[in-house]
Amino acid sequence: MARVYNFSAGPSILPESVLRRAADEMLDYQGSGQSVMEMSHRSKTYDAIIKECEALLREVMNIPDNYKVLFLQGGASSQFAMIPLNLMNKNGKADFLITGQWANKAYQEASRYGEAHVVASSKDKTYCYIPAWKAEDFTPDADYVHICMNNTIYGTRFTELPQTGDIPLVADISSCILSEPLDVSKFGLLYAGAQKNMGPAGLTVVIVREDLIGNAQEITPTMFNYQIHADNGSMYNTPPCYSIYICKLVLEWIKNEIGGLANMQDINEKKAALLYDFLDASKLFKGTVEKKDRSLMNIPFVTGNEELDAKFVKEAAAAGFVNLKGHRSVGGMRASIYNAMPIEGVEKLVEFMKAFEEANA
Ligand SMILES: *Cc1c(COP(=O)(O)O)cnc(C)c1O
C-alpha cells in the first residue's frame, strides 16, 4: 500500500492510526455487530460515542462549563448565517475584520440580517497580512465582533486577539482548531468545519457561551437555532454520526498519542519552521505572507514564474507530495500541514524542494 503525503487544504489528511482503528471497527463496532454508520443515533452504543466525543473535546480544549458544545451540519458556511440569526439580537449590529474570503463571506451573510461593519481589511494586498485595528474602531454597541483566526487560503493567522471589552468575540477556527492551546474563555463563540483538523466533512463544531443563546431572531429556522440543538444534546435530528465518531478517534489520538495541545503546538511549530526557514533561505521559492502573521497550518509560496509553479506541482505529485497547488485566488503553491501531517512529510517536502531548486536554477 502506498500512502502519499497529502497537503490538501481540506478535506485533509487524518492520522494513520485513526484510519486503521476505523478500519478495524468498520464491520463490527465493539461487539455491536454493526458499523457506526449503520446504528441508530438513539442507541446506547451511539450515545456513548457522542458523549465521549464531547467530553474529550472539553478536556483537550479545556472548555469552561458555561459553554455549550454543539455538533452540527452545514459546514462553517452555515455558521455565517447562524451566528447573526442567533447573536445579532440586541442592537442588530456586528463588526468584522476582513482577512480573506471566509471572513468576507461571514460579513456579507451577516449583512442580510443586520448592520454589519468592516473594521479593517487587508484586501489591498491580497490578504497577505493581518490588518491593524484600534480598540476605538469597534462599534460600541455591536452584538459581536467576528474574526477568522487562521486564513486557510492566504496563510495568515491572528497571533493577538482584538480587545473587544464586553463585546463577544466570535472566531472561525476551522483551519486551526486543535493545533495549539486556545483560551476559550476569551471568546463568545468558536466554530469550525471538521474537515481541516478534526475529522471528515459533514460535522461542524460550535462552542458557545451559554448566555449568548436563547434569543434568536424571530425569523430563525428551527434547525438554525442554537437553543434547539443545545436543549437536545445535538440530537434534535440525526447528527453526522460517523464524522462525530472519527472526530472522537482524532481527539483520542491527540490526548493519548500526542499528549495534548501543548505538545501538538510544539510539533506544529517545528513543522512550520522547517518550511519557513527553507523558504527564507531559498533563491527560487518564497513565502507570500508577512512574517509576523504566518500561519502554522497553511503555507502558501511561489517561484514567481507560473510555468515553473505548474511544473513544481506536477513533479511533486509524481513524487508523492499531493494537493500542493495554491488556491485559485493566490496562485502558486500551498502546503497545508495540519496536525496529522507527520514531521517527516515536511522534511521530505523540503528535500524535494531543494532538489527542484537545484535542477531549475
Ligand atoms: C474551509 C473553511 C470554511 C468553509 O467551510 P465549509 O465547511 O466548507 O463551509 C470556512 N472558514 C474557514 C476558515 C475554512 O478554512
Side-chain angles (χ1 to χ4, degrees):
M1 182 196 61
R3 296 262 306 159
V4 291
Y5 287 112
N6 178 10
F7 293 90
S8 170
S12 40
I13 184 169
L14 284 164
E16 207 169 291
S17 63
V18 165
L19 296 176
R20 286 186 196 286
R21 171 96 182 267
D24 284 347
E25 294 179 337
M26 178 60 76
L27 293 181
D28 176 11
Y29 177 75
Q30 297 189 357
S32 67
Q34 307 154 66
S35 148
V36 174
M37 266 182 257
E38 302 169 296
M39 61 181 60
S40 165
H41 61 293
R42 307 279 177 204
S43 64
K44 268 205 183 114
T45 312
Y46 191 74
D47 196 57
I49 293 175
I50 193 169
K51 291 225 167 80
E52 181 64 12
C53 186
E54 175 172 343
L56 277 165
L57 187 67
R58 286 186 176 279
E59 182 185 345
V60 167
M61 286 187 73
N62 199 13
I63 300 173
D65 289 342
N66 62 326
Y67 285 74
K68 295 285 188 196
V69 171
L70 307 177
F71 296 118
L72 308 178
Q73 305 192 49
S77 299
S78 289
Q79 294 309 310
F80 299 161
M82 208 160 166
I83 293 162
L85 282 166
N86 284 270
L87 266 55
M88 254 182 167
N89 53 8
K90 293 194 184 81
N91 302 310
K93 296 177 193 170
D95 282 352
F96 292 80
L97 289 161
I98 310 293
T99 53
Q101 270 187 30
W102 299 121
N104 194 46
K105 282 191 174 164
Y107 158 70
Q108 284 179 334
E109 193 68 12
S111 336
R112 305 181 63 202
Y113 304 108
E115 244 180 72
H117 301 280
V118 174
V119 171
S121 166
S122 50
K123 190 172 181 211
D124 60 335
K125 289 188 186 163
T126 325
Y127 304 113
C128 72
Y129 66 102
I130 298 291
W133 65 84
K134 292 192 291 296
E136 58 267 33
D137 295 339
F138 296 109
T139 309
D141 60 345
D143 290 328
Y144 64 92
V145 172
H146 180 282
I147 63 169
C148 180
M149 277 280 275
N150 183 76
N151 296 279
T152 324
I153 296 175
Y154 307 93
T156 62
R157 66 162 173 161
F158 282 80
T159 50
E160 191 193 327
L161 294 178
Q163 301 290 318
T164 59
D166 290 338
I167 309 173
L169 183 61
V170 170
D172 179 349
I173 55 169
S174 294
S175 51
C176 59
I177 189 167
L178 302 174
S179 65
E180 58 184 338
L182 186 65
D183 183 351
V184 175
S185 73
K186 294 220 161 78
F187 299 86
L189 186 150
L190 292 162
Y191 66 102
Q195 70 274 22
K196 313 287 165 59
N197 226 3
M198 54 185 345
L203 166 65
T204 309
V205 171
V206 172
I207 301 163
V208 56
R209 218 174 62 210
E210 274 167 1
D211 62 288
L212 296 175
I213 59 178
N215 281 304
Q217 293 190 24
E218 203 57 41
I219 58 161
T220 305
T222 306
M223 274 294 287
F224 266 37
N225 192 324
Y226 291 132
Q227 183 79 58
I228 293 285
H229 295 286
D231 288 349
N232 290 281
S234 300
M235 291 263 209
Y236 173 72
N237 71 326
T238 318
C241 301
Y242 198 75
S243 297
I244 291 169
Y245 157 72
I246 298 288
C247 180
K248 176 183 94 88
L249 297 185
V250 168
L251 289 162
E252 285 169 354
W253 171 77
I254 292 177
K255 181 182 164 183
N256 302 327
E257 290 180 53
I258 300 295
L261 291 187
N263 288 359
M264 197 77 253
Q265 175 176 25
D266 279 351
I267 297 169
N268 285 330
E269 282 174 350
K270 282 199 188 90
K271 285 189 299 188
L274 275 173
L275 194 45
Y276 284 127
D277 288 349
F278 169 71
L279 290 172
D280 290 344
S282 169
K283 291 197 174 65
L284 179 64
F285 297 101
K286 71 172 185 3
T288 58
V289 167
E290 278 192 19
K291 281 190 188 173
K292 66 177 178 38
D293 300 324
R294 283 171 160 178
S295 167
L296 289 179
M297 296 282 104
N298 312 97
I299 306 188
F301 55 94
V302 294
T303 64
N305 172 334
E306 276 179 35
E307 273 168 35
L308 208 50
D309 287 350
K311 185 177 179 214
F312 174 79
V313 170
K314 199 171 157 210
E315 289 183 11
F321 305 98
V322 306
N323 291 318
L324 279 166
K325 193 172 178 341
H327 189 271
R328 57 194 180 279
S329 63
V330 182
M333 282 70 71
R334 171 179 47 173
S336 293
I337 52 171
Y338 294 118
N339 285 352
M341 174 59 65
I343 200 154
E344 61 269 20
V346 182
E347 284 166 352
K348 288 189 176 151
L349 174 65
V350 168
E351 275 170 37
F352 179 81
M353 290 170 76
K354 273 184 191 154
F356 184 89
E357 178 165 345
E358 275 164 31
N360 292 275

